Amino acid sequence: MIALGRLLLASLVLITIWADRSQPEVYAREGYPLLAAYVVLALVLAAIAWRSWWFDAHLAGPAHAVDIAMFTFVVFVTQGSTSPYFIFCIFVLLSAAIRWSWRVTALTAVLLTLLYVLVGWLAAPKGAFAVNQYVIRTGYLVILSLILIWFGVNQWRARLGGSAEELFFEQAPGSMPLEASLSAAMAAARAAQGHLVWTRRPRTSWTVLDRQDGEINQSELEPADVASPSPRPFLYDLARDRVLMRDRNDNIRSFDPHDLVRDRTAQALGLTEGLAIPIHSDRGQGQIFLEGVRGLSTDHLELGAEIASAVASRIQRQALVKVAEENAEARSRLTIARDLHDSVVQFLAGAAFRLEAMKRSEASGRNLTPELDELKELMLQEQTELRSFITLLRSGSQIELVELARDLQALAGRLSRQWNVQCSFSLEERDIMVPARLHLDAQQLVREAVANAVRHAGAKNVSIRLAGEQDEVTLDFINDGASYSKGPDGGRMPRSIKERVEAAGGDVEISRGMGVTKISVSLPLAGKAA
């Protein structure tokens, strides 16, 4: 765009001066050939910019100097400080702001201002210096310079591409991050071929992904064959030993290609000319090589920085998702284990408790058939209960508090027979709905509380109270057994009850007095329990 703008501007200046017979006012004989030569030079520079990013970058400095010189000459030969071609300075400043850092833009602005002052003073006839127009145009130049210097300081706001997410909006959620990153980078740069060299931390070997004609092949390279990824994207032409990369001040400079790309890497990947994009993340590091990029130019260095940020973000996000999935899987395993402990395991423990009592009764000659039939009935009821749990969790529905109370009361009756203990149940009736997860938690808490009271405290009576509020459900368990012994953490709260309540986002308290133990549980109707 700079080369095309120079060509159009040079042609426009030549045509308008030729059409206006009063211009140039001075050096007319030298002016036309010089302007014509500038048009030819602009045409050559435009052709170079389209064909070679290397020469375009290396000729940028000399071309910029020529532009400044032509601005000075055109202003000088066309009325000095009142020249209609003062607008030429905007092109020169924009070229510096787009191509280089803010420091070069500031230097260009200072030089243009000084030259404009000098040319205006030299070109004006004695006593005819237009002070008013001169001051106004100098003010224009200073203001424009400050705006473009600010643009250069904040040029990261105007980078190409957009947000990192936009580069991956077409990628499938389940696709592999490295393969998806390579495909997205090729699509963003319109590259015909792509290679991704990647190693995880700590570094062992380098994985190579090659994508061509829609197919991806994988291979490996030894650590000694691959150089560490560069700090910034760079353009390379290995056949001519050319590399261009921005330095810390964002100025484009040439570097030794052998410091950035090892010969074995180039041979293995078949690298010739393209764009290299370094990728750095907590999971590893690597580099993308894009070849067959149409219209390859120094503009692609900014695009490469956007792609690098996008790829690193995707890899990092994929790693976080994987960790979250592993944590969710671990929580699911813990929940299933706790549910099995509080239902199946406790029921089997109660069944063993009953069978041991039957064994003692057998010695006295009692008829065990009624008790065995009762135990069989309890097993069938337990099977039905487990099935209802699974159905309820799958549906994710809600039930009324009264229905929960009815289920808990039936469960208390079965636990009375299972553990040979007196279980009583009471309800403070309220018209509220209870989530399915809380329904399961409540039943498992009742099982665990009764089992702990009998097995660890030797209780003969357990009282269960259920109450509901607008935002929570409370369960009180009162038993007449001995005090619970201290656990490994120094507390007396049964661990399984504490873990389940905390997982549901609720609170639990234990108290002892007047020969009874009371465990109070509150479960929220929203949040984790829901």
Side-chain angles (χ1 to χ4, degrees):
M1 290 306 301
I2 293 174
L4 183 60
R6 179 187 293 109
L7 177 60
L8 295 176
L9 186 59
S11 302
L12 180 62
V13 170
L14 178 61
I15 292 172
T16 54
I17 289 181
W18 176 81
D20 186 358
R21 295 300 180 179
S22 64
Q23 298 293 340
E25 292 187 349
V26 294
Y27 298 106
R29 181 176 300 176
E30 297 85 357
Y32 286 114
L34 188 59
L35 289 173
Y38 184 57
V39 172
V40 174
L41 177 63
L43 181 61
V44 172
L45 291 175
I48 291 176
W50 250 262
R51 295 179 62 86
S52 175
W53 49 266
W54 173 264
F55 285 112
D56 173 54
H58 280 75
L59 292 176
H64 191 64
V66 172
D67 293 338
I68 295 175
M70 286 306 302
F71 162 76
T72 306
F73 175 77
V74 170
V75 171
F76 179 74
V77 300
T78 56
Q79 301 174 0
S81 61
T82 61
S83 170
Y85 301 102
F86 170 79
I87 198 70
F88 203 140
C89 71
I90 297 179
F91 166 75
V92 179
L93 284 172
L94 282 174
S95 299
I98 292 172
R99 195 182 282 275
W100 294 292
S101 66
W102 68 270
R103 294 179 178 85
V104 178
T105 307
L107 181 60
T108 301
V110 171
L111 184 58
L112 286 176
T113 304
L114 293 177
L115 288 174
Y116 181 65
V117 172
L118 179 62
V119 167
W121 179 73
L122 292 176
K126 292 184 178 181
F129 185 66
V131 177
N132 188 38
Q133 291 186 358
Y134 171 76
V135 172
I136 291 175
R137 291 193 173 195
T138 304
Y140 290 162
L141 183 56
V142 172
I143 293 172
L144 178 63
S145 301
L146 292 176
I147 292 174
L148 292 178
I149 292 171
W150 177 91
F151 171 77
V153 173
N154 297 275
Q155 62 181 334
W156 60 271
R157 298 179 185 271
R159 291 272 176 91
L160 296 177
S163 67
E165 300 293 334
E166 293 176 357
L167 291 174
F168 294 95
F169 74 98
E170 293 183 349
Q171 300 300 319
S175 58
M176 299 298 291
L178 295 181
E179 295 180 2
S181 299
L182 178 59
S183 300
M186 291 180 62
R190 298 180 181 179
Q193 300 178 26
H195 314 275
L196 173 58
V197 183
W198 178 260
T199 184
R200 296 186 179 274
R201 300 183 190 276
R203 182 189 303 182
T204 53
S205 63
W206 291 83
T207 301
V208 179
L209 296 179
D210 300 287
R211 188 177 188 274
Q212 187 175 8
D213 299 330
E215 295 185 1
I216 294 182
N217 300 315
Q218 182 172 331
S219 58
E220 288 191 357
L221 287 173
E222 294 297 325
D225 298 339
V226 182
S228 299
S230 61
R232 296 190 175 194
F234 61 88
L235 300 176
Y236 62 87
D237 185 353
L238 300 182
R240 298 179 176 88
D241 288 337
R242 296 172 177 173
V243 165
L244 289 182
M245 181 171 60
R246 291 192 181 275
D247 59 16
R248 294 180 179 180
N249 296 323
D250 280 337
N251 294 318
I252 298 176
R253 294 179 51 198
S254 58
F255 291 84
D256 186 355
H258 299 287
D259 295 337
L260 301 174
V261 183
R262 298 275 171 85
D263 291 339
R264 293 184 180 180
T265 301
Q267 294 173 1
L269 303 182
L271 301 180
T272 55
E273 182 182 20
L275 172 66
I277 304 172
I279 309 298
H280 300 275
S281 74
D282 294 340
R283 306 295 294 180
Q285 60 180 350
Q287 202 149 241
I288 295 177
F289 296 93
L290 301 178
E291 301 223 331
V293 179
R294 289 182 292 175
L296 186 65
S297 70
T298 53
D299 291 341
H300 284 86
L301 294 176
E302 279 69 32
L303 180 61
E306 287 293 331
I307 293 175
S309 175
V311 172
S313 297
R314 181 178 178 84
I315 293 174
Q316 195 70 17
R317 183 172 65 252
Q318 193 79 7
L320 293 176
V321 169
K322 185 176 181 180
V323 171
E325 290 176 349
E326 292 175 350
N327 290 338
E329 183 179 351
R331 288 196 301 269
S332 298
R333 289 197 301 267
L334 180 62
T335 300
I336 292 173
R338 187 166 52 238
D339 290 343
L340 289 175
H341 174 270
D342 293 350
S343 58
V344 178
V345 174
Q346 292 290 22
F347 175 81
L348 293 177
F353 187 83
R354 289 289 302 275
L355 290 173
E356 186 66 27
M358 293 179 192
K359 184 177 180 181
R360 291 193 298 268
S361 300
E362 185 182 16
S364 62
R366 288 177 53 189
N367 183 15
L368 301 181
T369 301
E371 295 187 50
L372 289 173
D373 290 340
E374 183 181 16
L375 185 59
K376 177 182 178 181
E377 181 184 356
L378 290 174
M379 288 183 175
L380 292 175
Q381 290 176 347
E382 185 68 21
Q383 182 183 15
T384 303
E385 191 72 29
L386 285 175
R387 286 178 175 174
S388 66
F389 284 165
I390 295 173
T391 302
L392 189 61
L393 288 176
R394 284 177 176 174
S395 65
S397 60
Q398 293 186 334
I399 63 173
E400 295 182 357
L401 183 65
V402 176
E403 187 177 349
L404 173 61
R406 184 168 58 248
D407 292 343
L408 295 182
Q409 188 170 16
L411 176 61
R414 295 197 302 272
L415 294 175
S416 295
R417 291 180 290 166
Q418 179 181 337
W419 291 102
N420 194 23
V421 64
Q422 182 64 37
C423 286
S424 61
F425 179 83
S426 62
L427 167 67
E428 288 185 17
E429 188 171 344
R430 290 290 300 274
D431 185 17
I432 60 175
M433 301 298 293
V434 177
R437 177 70 242 183
L438 190 145
H439 177 272
L440 175 60
D441 286 334
Q443 296 218 15
Q444 301 293 51
L445 286 170
V446 170
R447 294 171 183 271
E448 186 68 16
V450 173
N452 285 332
V454 175
R455 297 174 61 187
H456 303 304
K460 299 299 182 182
N461 295 279
V462 179
S463 174
I464 305 169
R465 299 174 184 174
L466 175 65
E469 301 293 339
Q470 291 298 327
D471 56 351
E472 68 178 8
V473 167
T474 59
L475 275 169
D476 293 330
F477 305 100
I478 303 173
N479 71 77
D480 60 357
S483 176
Y484 290 114
S485 58
K486 290 187 178 181
D489 58 354
R492 300 181 183 275
M493 178 68 66
R495 187 178 65 179
S496 59
I497 293 179
K498 182 179 180 181
E499 289 179 351
R500 181 174 292 279
V501 173
E502 290 178 349
D507 296 315
V508 58
E509 295 180 356
I510 186 170
S511 57
R512 177 75 181 175
M514 300 184 67
V516 298
T517 299
K518 179 181 180 181
I519 298 177
S520 298
V521 174
S522 61
L523 300 174
L525 296 179
K528 293 182 179 180

